[in-house]
Amino acid sequence: MVLRITTWNVNGIRNPFGYQPWRDKRSFAAMFDILEADIVVMQETKIQRKDLQDDMVLVPGWDCYFSLPKYKRGYSGVAIYTRQSVCAPIRAEEGITGVLCPPNSSTSYINLPEDAQIGGYPSYSQLARFPVDAATLDSEGRCVILEFPAFVLIGVYSPANRDETRDDFRLGFINAFDARVRNLIAQGKRVVLTGDLNISREEIDTANAEETMRKHGLGGEEYASTPARRLFNQFLFGGKVFGDRDEGREKPVMWDICRGFHEGRRGMFTCWEQKINARPGNFGSRIDYVLCSETMKSWFCESNIQEGLMGSDHCPVYAVLKDKVVVDNTDVNIRDVVNPLGMFVDGKRVMEYSTKSIPALSGKLIPEFDRRRNIRDMFARKPSVSTEAPTVAEAGDAVDRALPTEEAVAIATDELDSVTNPISVEPVSAVTVSPKVVGTGRPSSTTKASGVKRASDTTTTRSLKRSKSGSSSAAPVAPAKGQQSLKGFFKAKPSTPNGESVLEADKESPVASAKGSERTVALTGVVAATLLPEEETPSPSPIAVHPAVDENNIERPTQNSSSQPLPLSPSTASKSGDVIDPIVSKESWSQLFSKPAAPRCEGHNEPCISLTTKKPGVNCGRVFWICPRLASHFFPVEGAITDSHCNRPVGPTGNKKNGTQWRCETFIWSSQWNGSVS
């Protein structure tokens, strides 16, 4: 029931997948499970908006929030992932100064109504201490801020100390998050600041402190008083500050949680130089932190580094909040105060998570990913709302509601008997129900007595709607439209003796339509199996039965079908009682997928040959059949002479030949040849 916050500079969001243990599954959900984290703050993602992929955004069970660089490619970037089953933020913002705008809005965060903003934005006077404007500070994707009812979480990636040209930007960013945190605490809010700050507090936090001081001729006081380190130490409780404090920074505001649990521990480094392979010798620095405001210090029960996890030049750092925390002198469960009000009570969920309440900055609301799901979620079944087993009375009522009345069954039986004489139907006194009640998804505890054989479990069942009028007959159900099976694509439509199709005749006759609808209802679902006993195999009839009547929704071929029937599947053959001839089955499939036989020409009754039109125009690329003797005009052979003026082959004498072996009128487009008619 505890809540774990993990920060990690991944040096590229996909970079860890090249290392163990992330290499096996290569998914973010698996990574977060190994980290055992509920909130993951990533820095240096090194992606742009166009680089976002489904596996980054649509992580099952997680929400995500990104801050991406506006101009530089493959540079900086911050992402925060939150586990939906544990916590859910109520607000989210990008940037540390508040000058950026929410998605699909032209109003900056700082100008939003108070109830829609997190607050604590640095004032102009606070930012004016360093010559870098607010828009520039937030243009590199270095900060994401989430607000929970209990605290405000700030994930940052502070600029590194690369060269002197970036000193103003680096100090301006540190000054900005210092001002933002102080303003939030002044408003009475709790704050957790986490990320790669690129600052080592003291000599104990870096392995090359002595070398650096000797190289630059610095003492301990000068080393602790470098501009960035001085700002940071004034920010922390226990920080070494020499001389008077700066204006506005008279008091420290944040606790270094990991150092608080491991005071005096040496070698607790989180970053190592890859160029010199410094990690095996643990020659690094501690520049990744989880900090909290003073009022939250007692909320944490554990914090440490995970130097054994590879995947980056940094290692993860985590801090764990207790399951019970003190809020306004009252012990509350941590989950009650890290979710919207009313979602958890005493650590138990009472309100389901909904995407409608997530902040606008969520990655799942980006247009490319909005209203989409991970492919795994598409095939996952949602758990049933009620897990209690139904009582006997409830199951019986469900059966009564799902089944048609006896009158409807009798009408359907009479109608079916009059239309399909070969099908014999036994008198039905009662109906047997499938072990699962239609529409309930729960096993029934009772079945009605019957004289009919029980339907097989494999029979497809459909829910039946009750008539609004309350009449005893079942409500008409529209017949299924479109192609019902693969075989329906290859066979001709069944027709009546008058030449009309059965479906068209049913539409024109109101009486037939009504009876056909009732027959469809009666034979749909659990009743269909009882009207067609397994021992009897209906013989083909000139009058086709509606597709809904056929078991497993497979149309049976009629006697008037001109095409070869498809081979029956073993399951279908076993139900109908037929014996599958493997030779016939093989020939049927061979005829279906083999090339059509060549037509024979009209003049000589010889197999035609196929050619392709190469002349530019509407027919370019079309294939056609012609007489092989006429083909000698296109592919001359010895003894055949062509007349280029009349485009007609001529005989060996050079004269045009009409009505002889050199003349044939056969010409068939390949698209018009079905392989069965000459």
Side-chain angles (χ1 to χ4, degrees), residues 105-297:
S105 175
S106 58
T107 304
S108 60
Y109 290 109
I110 196 172
N111 294 322
L112 291 176
E114 291 186 3
D115 58 347
Q117 61 179 215
I118 296 178
Y121 306 103
S123 63
Y124 177 79
S125 60
Q126 289 174 320
L127 294 176
R129 296 177 180 179
F130 296 93
V132 182
D133 62 281
T136 303
L137 290 175
D138 284 338
S139 65
E140 296 185 357
R142 294 185 175 274
C143 180
V144 174
I145 305 177
L146 304 183
E147 182 176 8
F148 301 90
F151 59 88
V152 176
L153 174 67
I154 304 178
V156 298
Y157 173 48
S158 181
N161 185 21
R162 299 299 181 187
D163 52 66
E164 296 180 357
T165 60
R166 295 275 292 175
D167 284 350
D168 288 341
F169 184 89
R170 183 176 185 234
L171 296 175
F173 188 85
I174 298 172
N175 173 69
F177 77 67
D178 176 272
R180 184 74 183 266
V181 170
R182 291 180 182 275
N183 294 345
L184 287 170
I185 294 176
Q187 293 178 358
K189 295 186 177 182
R190 307 173 188 88
V191 180
V192 174
L193 176 69
T194 180
D196 178 7
L197 303 183
N198 271 310
I199 306 172
S200 56
R201 287 182 56 182
E202 304 173 3
E203 296 89 335
I204 194 176
D205 294 311
T206 180
N208 64 343
E210 295 181 1
E211 181 182 352
T212 301
M213 289 189 291
R214 183 173 62 254
K215 181 178 179 180
H216 295 88
L218 301 177
E221 182 176 342
E222 290 82 4
Y223 179 81
S225 299
T226 55
R229 192 169 287 109
R230 177 178 171 82
L231 285 174
F232 190 48
N233 279 321
Q234 292 183 90
F235 188 61
L236 299 176
F237 286 97
K240 291 183 179 180
V241 180
F242 296 92
D244 296 336
R245 287 179 171 267
D246 298 342
E247 183 181 356
R249 301 187 178 95
E250 290 80 6
K251 294 181 179 180
V253 290
M254 301 293 281
W255 282 95
D256 185 352
I257 302 174
C258 194
R259 177 57 73 187
F261 281 95
H262 305 278
E263 295 183 5
R265 175 181 169 184
R266 294 185 174 274
M268 193 170 60
F269 304 138
T270 63
C271 179
W272 301 267
E273 182 64 43
Q274 288 183 318
K275 295 181 180 179
I276 60 175
N277 195 25
R279 190 163 187 171
N282 196 26
F283 190 82
S285 302
R286 188 173 77 96
I287 58 177
D288 301 270
Y289 299 88
V290 180
L291 313 175
C292 73
S293 55
E294 185 178 13
T295 54
M296 289 185 64
K297 181 181 177 182

Side-chain angles (χ1 to χ4, degrees), residues 333-388:
N333 192 286
I334 186 62
R335 298 195 179 186
D336 296 353
V337 291
V338 293
N339 287 278
L341 183 63
M343 184 170 289
F344 277 83
V345 176
D346 294 333
K348 297 181 180 180
R349 182 180 293 275
V350 296
M351 184 187 305
E352 289 298 326
Y353 175 85
S354 174
T355 56
K356 296 180 180 180
S357 60
I358 61 178
L361 188 63
S362 173
K364 293 189 176 181
L365 298 183
I366 297 176
E368 297 93 316
F369 307 98
D370 188 17
R371 298 182 182 179
R372 290 181 53 198
R373 293 183 297 169
N374 184 283
I375 192 170
R376 292 183 180 179
D377 296 340
M378 297 172 63
F379 295 98
R381 293 183 178 180
K382 293 184 178 181
S384 177
V385 177
S386 177
T387 58
E388 298 180 358

Side-chain angles (χ1 to χ4, degrees), residues 53-133:
Q53 301 294 329
D54 287 3
D55 63 332
M56 299 179 191
V57 179
L58 304 179
V59 182
W62 291 79
D63 281 331
C64 55
Y65 305 86
F66 295 93
S67 178
L68 307 175
K70 303 297 184 293
Y71 309 110
K72 292 187 178 182
R73 179 181 179 183
Y75 182 76
S76 65
V78 174
I80 299 182
Y81 288 85
T82 60
R83 192 186 295 269
Q84 296 172 356
S85 61
V86 177
C87 58
I90 56 177
R91 298 181 186 88
E93 292 183 7
E94 177 186 8
I96 195 68
T97 64
V99 298
L100 298 181
C101 299
N104 304 320
S105 175
S106 58
T107 304
S108 60
Y109 290 109
I110 196 172
N111 294 322
L112 291 176
E114 291 186 3
D115 58 347
Q117 61 179 215
I118 296 178
Y121 306 103
S123 63
Y124 177 79
S125 60
Q126 289 174 320
L127 294 176
R129 296 177 180 179
F130 296 93
V132 182
D133 62 281

